[in-house]
Amino acid sequence: MDLPLLKLILQILLAVLGLLTIMFVLLHKGRGGGLSDMFGGGVSSSASASGVAERNLNRLTVGVAVSWGLCAIGLGIVEKLL
């Protein structure tokens, strides 16, 4: 594969994964005591959200964030080779 093409693909992938990471982090439920309380998130019930959807969102967020990190490392390696 051509290195400039690989660099372009990694740059696009890095941008998309970065936006997905931001979106998934913002989808998480506020746990209280932080910025979520300042913006009205402190009114939520005291029951912890440990449902299947929250666990799957956690896994998805971690997976996308790790993929973003690997993509950034790959882009650094390609930059070094060019």
Side-chain angles (χ1 to χ4, degrees):
M1 182 178 265
D2 198 17
L3 282 182
L5 178 62
L6 180 61
K7 178 182 172 185
L8 178 66
I9 290 171
L10 285 174
Q11 286 174 335
I12 292 171
L13 194 59
L14 190 70
V16 169
L17 289 173
L19 290 174
L20 280 175
T21 302
I22 291 170
M23 184 184 73
F24 289 148
V25 167
L26 290 175
L27 281 175
H28 279 280
K29 192 171 186 178
R31 305 256 185 225
L35 285 177
S36 62
D37 280 347
M38 183 173 28
F39 295 114
V43 203
S44 63
S45 67
S46 63
S48 65
S50 62
V52 176
E54 186 74 18
R55 282 194 304 266
N56 287 338
L57 183 61
N58 288 341
R59 291 181 187 135
L60 193 57
T61 304
V62 169
V64 170
V66 167
S67 299
W68 181 88
L70 292 174
C71 186
I73 291 170
L75 188 58
I77 292 171
V78 169
E79 278 288 325
K80 198 79 155 173
L81 294 175
L82 285 177

